[in-house]
Amino acid sequence: MDLRFGDSKPTDDERAAVDALLGPPESSWEGATRDEMNAADLRWARGGRAARDRRDLLLPGLHAVNDRVGWISDGALDYLCRRLTVPPAEAYGVATFYAMFSVRPRPATVLHVCTDLACATAGAEALCAEVTAEPGVTVQRSPCLGLCERAPAALAVRAGDPVRTAVAAPATARAAVLAATAPDSAPEEPPAAAAVPQAGDAELVLLRRVGVVDPASLDDYRAHGGYTALRRAFALGPAGVIREVTDSGLVGRGGAAFPTGRKWQATAAQPDHPHYLVCNADESEPGTFKDRVLMEGDPYALIEAMTIAGYATGAHRGYLYLRGEYPRALARLTHAIDRARARGLLGDDVLGQGYAFDIEIRRGAGAYICGEETALFNSIEGYRGEPRAKPPFPVERGLFGKPTAENNVETLVNVLPILTMGAEAYAAIGTGRSTGPKLFCVSGAVARPGVYELPFGATLGELLGLAGVRDGLRAVLLGGAAGGFVRPDELDIPLTFEGTREAGTTLGSGVVLAFDDTVPLPRLLLRIAEFFRDESCGQCVPCRVGTVRQEEALHRIAERTGAGAADDIALLREVGRAMRDASICGLGQTAWNAVESAIDRLGAYE
């Protein structure tokens, strides 16, 4: 390993930010000043192996500096690398991988304005133009902020100690400027229940506590059935929990639909230890915000569910990888973990059962690719968030090279009703092959956007009926940017994994974006292509090159008609097939889906 440190020095603020995370340096090798240590100890490194074992603190360290100062200077990066014995070139590659970090000077306050699908159709570009004209406000166009039910959305981040954030959604120019210039004076966000039109319905399963309990109160959570599932888990034992989850038919809710019981069983059976549990809370699919609502409105449910999953799979440590764009969810979960730990529900002896389990939150920093499980592992470990080749699969060699069970928020929260009502009763909800309730994120041209809970098997038309679809419906995008379009005459599609497959589309993570006839479809497709080009990690050629060629072709098609457009459509199909067949991960494999469906089902360029 070649550690080539530069001559740049950190500022006092940058040094303080790193030291607050890592503790004070113990030698000049680690960056201690001459006043603190004898400079002679620069001749050799002490504790290098221990420092390298802390490589996974690189991402939190970058967050610490970026939060305190607003950007990451050469001196700050150099100092952080000395503390962790990480080559600065590698750390630079990590810092530049994430959209929320900057390695160039910028103002302490940045206003992130979402320009993705739901916000784009709600006037995001006009909002950007208005706010940019205001003096002293730095605007950064952002992919989906997970606030689609309140589009258009903006997130202001003001660096300092502590960092301050404010959300404006739905955002007017005045509200966005206020959030950026006076984040402490910005209006408080509406409660999470405001995103749940069904809030308070006694028939709900996953959302039944949202809007009913105080998300900050552990006692309130327990008074409404909290930790009943964990007690039953301890009564069943790890094998019994896995059997219940398997018999329930629960499959992953992130889009892959892999059987959860099989994943847990495969992890638990691995002889290599330790085992890890990872909760994927990095929902970055445009149009998706269900996990945010669960974390903000019912945070203890996720903590309990992660504890059960850790117990079943033999893990004693869980990592909750949370979107960097979710400041309120971060605050709610941090509080919930602290309270659970103080009450003996996390720690060395959970509920007095002799089982040790704890949870650590790791913040993402704006990278859609980190929703892919192995890219997420690399991110936690302090590397660029690039997917790994499989096999070996995560259940064999996942986080830190150890057996790992990875599930998203919605999947984990489903475990609670499985254990409280029993696998048979849970499996009776939905259909034979798609069991249980499902959360759907509905936004766009509807009167009541938000998160809806329906049993699998309900039709798309029934869901849009609940949301109040507006007149002039042009198309519905299922599954987000990685999904596919359906026509207004196809609303009888059953919302199940098998039903959407048979209809030639995908359910994905549950995104339902409605577009009326005022939305220019070619511009929408171009935004999807821009999203995939920007979010491709660049590791594999089919995706790195294909996403660029896809965007270029769509730009040309927008300016052409007739034979020229036909040639580019043929090129799009060829590029799309190459990405689908040869890309390493799901990003490249699905980057063509929405464009293909718009051409074939909607006649987008006819």
Side-chain angles (χ1 to χ4, degrees), residues 236-452:
L236 289 170
V241 173
I242 293 175
R243 184 168 55 250
E244 285 286 293
V245 172
T246 302
D247 292 347
S248 73
L250 175 65
V251 298
R253 301 301 202 242
F258 190 84
T260 304
R262 282 177 53 193
K263 180 183 289 188
W264 288 14
Q265 177 61 51
T267 305
Q270 295 299 316
D272 194 14
H273 286 274
H275 295 180
Y276 290 105
L277 172 74
V278 173
C279 173
N280 184 346
D282 191 56
E283 59 170 0
S284 304
E285 186 70 47
T288 310
F289 50 95
K290 58 186 174 61
D291 290 352
R292 171 182 63 80
V293 171
L294 284 171
M295 291 185 289
E296 292 179 352
D298 197 11
Y300 289 104
L302 179 57
I303 305 307
E304 181 183 5
M306 287 184 67
T307 308
I308 293 170
Y311 176 66
T313 57
H316 296 284
R317 187 159 197 84
Y319 287 88
L320 201 168
Y321 190 90
L322 178 66
R323 279 200 77 182
E325 297 90 341
Y326 282 177
R328 184 162 70 169
L330 174 63
R332 293 273 169 87
L333 287 164
T334 300
H335 174 79
I337 289 171
D338 289 345
R339 294 301 303 145
R341 191 180 292 126
R343 299 277 288 272
L345 299 167
L346 288 174
D348 294 335
D349 188 13
V350 175
L351 279 176
Q353 298 293 317
Y355 168 62
F357 183 75
D358 214 336
I359 295 171
E360 183 176 345
I361 297 176
R362 290 295 178 92
R363 292 162 59 198
Y368 171 75
I369 190 65
C370 288
E372 197 278 336
E373 58 185 357
T374 61
L376 186 156
F377 300 156
N378 276 340
S379 182
I380 291 176
E381 291 176 20
Y383 298 93
R384 289 169 62 89
E386 296 173 340
R388 303 172 184 173
K390 296 185 238 183
F393 294 98
V395 296
E396 301 166 315
R397 290 184 61 192
L399 185 64
F400 305 120
K402 299 297 182 179
T404 304
E406 181 268 353
N407 297 107
N408 77 345
V409 174
E410 185 187 354
T411 307
L412 287 166
V413 171
N414 268 273
V415 173
L416 304 183
I418 290 172
L419 293 184
T420 53
M421 70 172 57
E424 185 176 349
Y426 178 91
I429 302 172
T431 68
R433 287 187 289 172
S434 294
T435 63
K438 178 74 184 80
L439 300 182
F440 297 94
C441 307
V442 185
S443 59
V446 294
R448 295 175 293 280
V451 178
Y452 288 83

